[in-house]
Amino acid sequence: MPLVGVLALQGDVREHVATLRSIGADVREVKRAEQLDGLDGLIVPGGESTTIARLLTTSGIRAALEKSLAGDLAVFGTCAGLILLASEILDGRADQWSFAALPLSVRRNGYGRQIASFETPVTVAGVGTVPGVFIRAPKIETWSSDVEVLATHDHGDGNHPVLVRYANVWGCSFHPELTSDDRVHRLFVDALR
Ligand code: GLN
């Protein structure tokens, strides 16, 4: 089975670890840069993107992960993780940086504040319909034509991608780790073999 890391600085770490273990992946919580070595894939969880960004810098993982992203490590950012991978952040904090590994722009809290959180069915290409839990979710507003769109959602303003893949980098607006449906994790893990 592939060895999948979960960036364990802040956010939905436990939930991702539990889902990955339940589908049989080997899992490593990543708290230090050297723990990126030997991974087949890495999940950057949802949480608070500004907090995770700060901890990425202070832990030294930022520089190491930049190199891994430029190499061929498969990295999947969910919610805050998507924000951290995007090439452009709208409504971000003035000093907010990102890895710019996904050629798309995301608007922080683009689906509304905490109170506007919602769950909706999301149809994923080749997978079927999964529950989409959106919590202060980033909205993908523009994206390069070579980004593979695996799922979209129309929140009353037209279809926006909610699950995307660009070579080795994946991103998702919702929280697949917060439901018992493991098919989005399986999609990522199966691609690592
Ligand atoms: N809005 C949050 C942020 O900017 C992300 C929300 C989430 O991960 N649930 O980090």
Side-chain angles (χ1 to χ4, degrees), residues 15 21 30 41-42 47 55 58 91 98-99 138 141 144 149 168 178:
E15 293 84 351
R21 291 221 165 102
V30 173
L42 175 75
L55 296 171
T58 55
D91 291 342
S98 68
F99 287 108
E141 299 224 329
S144 166
V149 177
N168 57 318
L178 294 183

Side-chain angles (χ1 to χ4, degrees), residues 2 5 14 17 30 37 48 57 66-67 70 84 96 137 143 145 150-151:
R14 259 179 310 148
V17 169
V30 173
D37 295 344
E48 179 52 48
T57 305
E66 243 156 39
K67 286 201 192 96
L84 286 159
Q96 194 165 352
W143 57 99
S145 58
L150 298 169

Side-chain angles (χ1 to χ4, degrees), residues 10-12 45-52 78-84 89 91-92 96 107-110 112-114 117 133-138 173-175 177-178:
Q10 190 266 338
D12 292 348
E48 179 52 48
S49 56
T50 53
T51 304
I52 298 174
T78 62
C79 204
L82 165 65
I83 298 171
L84 286 159
I89 304 172
D91 291 342
Q96 194 165 352
R107 188 172 299 280
R108 282 182 81 198
N109 306 317
R113 308 295 310 175
Q114 185 82 23
S117 298
V133 177
F134 291 76
I135 304 168
R136 297 199 305 127
S173 296
F174 55 96
H175 288 270
E177 76 286 6
L178 294 183

